[in-house]
Amino acid sequence: MIDSHTVAFVSGANGGLGAQFVARLLARGAGKVYAASRAGDVELRDARIVPVPLDVTDEASVHGAARLAADTTLLVNNAGVNRHTGFLAPDAIDDARAEMDVNYFGTLRMARAFAPALISSHGAMINVLSILARTSLPAMGSLCASKAAALRLTESLRAELAPHRVRVYAAMPGAIDTDMSRDFDGPKLSPADTADAALDALTGSASEIYIGAMAQQLAEGLALDRAATQAQLL
Ligand SMILES: NC(=O)c1ccc[n+]([C@@H]2O[C@H](COP(=O)([O-])OP(=O)(O)OC[C@H]3O[C@@H](n4cnc5c(N)ncnc54)[C@H](OP(=O)(O)O)[C@@H]3O)[C@@H](O)[C@H]2O)c1
């Protein structure tokens, strides 16, 4: 539940889905929202927004943000990169490393740094993954691998934090209408609806949130016939 006692921290808050997490948290009555971006310059359009500089690949930056936002009760790990590359592309190793550093290690760094605040507040963490955490799209194979790693991370964090009454959610949307998917011509979710669906999970019973028809249909297909569903994406 989000109310005036909620102190949220959103990474990658300068645009795309992150900006909509900030907007929807404020609309739902959050008391304070730390809006983190690499430049630390998120627009102050509401007095409850606190801009924070954050690069999730930099341990010192992550710890600085966690110190500044020690009253966080809801962590939204939204920052992510997608180099849109297959494993045989010329720069595949560099691309895979960059995606793992942000999508997997970045989420891990953030979870470790913010765990004390979440434990003391019996708070919650939403990790923004992707339906591609559950399956492979070869045109962006290394992105899928990084999100799959982040899903395993999320599952383990959920178990480690459950005794401390901290809830951990995996948000798995399909394509969203942001810069990251600008070259995708298929149907896309609105960033605001995606943020709302992820925040709704805080009052529901599911910890894996499939957002939008594309993600829900793929998850159902994978449960029924994993190989056949995966084959459709090749
Ligand atoms: N768009 C989609 O179709 C889609 C689908 C499923 C899941 N997702 C996930 O949704 C999340 C948000 O993505 P988006 O669609 O809003 O894409 P986006 O517009 O490209 O936003 C990505 C955000 O992550 C930030 N970021 C990247 N590297 C960072 C770093 N090292 N440290 C801190 N912040 C960093 C970016 O900051 P800069 O502006 O400084 O680069 C930006 O704010 C991501 O986790 C993405 O994987 C997206």
Side-chain angles (χ1 to χ4, degrees):
M1 171 170 160
I2 292 159
D3 60 21
S4 60
H5 300 291
T6 302
V7 178
F9 187 106
V10 180
S11 65
N14 52 313
L17 181 57
Q20 289 306 316
F21 266 113
V22 173
R24 299 311 302 153
L25 282 158
L26 294 171
R28 288 168 179 239
K32 192 196 286 186
V33 180
Y34 293 104
S37 65
R38 283 195 276 198
D41 61 352
V42 170
E43 200 184 327
L44 276 172
R45 58 190 182 281
D46 186 297
R48 293 169 290 167
I49 296 178
V50 181
V52 181
L54 173 70
D55 181 339
V56 300
T57 66
D58 179 338
E59 192 80 24
S61 172
V62 168
H63 281 284
R67 268 195 306 278
L68 190 116
D71 54 348
T72 296
T73 66
L74 170 63
L75 173 64
V76 182
N77 283 313
N78 167 77
V81 289
N82 184 350
R83 294 282 184 93
H84 297 92
T85 191
F87 285 115
L88 299 183
D91 297 324
I93 298 288
D94 287 345
D95 290 334
R97 193 172 277 126
E99 288 165 337
M100 286 298 279
D101 205 12
V102 176
N103 300 343
Y104 172 68
F105 285 108
T107 305
L108 172 57
R109 287 184 196 97
M110 290 293 289
R112 287 171 53 83
F114 280 78
L118 298 183
I119 288 170
S120 71
S121 61
H122 303 309
M125 180 190 316
I126 298 174
N127 291 341
V128 180
L129 308 179
S130 164
I131 187 56
L132 296 177
R134 296 286 324 280
T135 188
S136 287
L137 192 60
M140 45 182 88
S142 56
L143 175 278
C144 299
S146 71
K147 292 291 188 180
L151 177 56
R152 292 287 95 80
L153 165 67
T154 303
E155 291 163 352
S156 291
L157 287 171
R158 184 178 302 132
E160 283 194 66
L161 288 168
H164 302 286
R165 294 168 52 203
V166 177
R167 292 153 295 139
V168 179
Y169 299 90
M172 290 184 273
I176 311 166
D177 194 6
T178 66
D179 274 0
M180 192 178 280
S181 286
R182 62 186 171 278
D183 297 328
F184 176 69
D185 289 332
K188 293 184 238 190
L189 297 161
S190 99
D193 290 349
T194 306
D196 266 329
L199 295 173
D200 283 347
L202 295 170
T203 48
S205 56
S207 49
E208 290 194 348
I209 320 303
Y210 296 99
I211 303 175
M214 179 198 289
Q216 284 158 11
Q217 285 162 14
L218 272 170
E220 281 164 23
L222 290 166
L224 285 172
D225 188 338
R226 178 165 185 85
T229 304
Q230 174 60 56
Q232 286 168 14
L233 298 174
L234 301 180

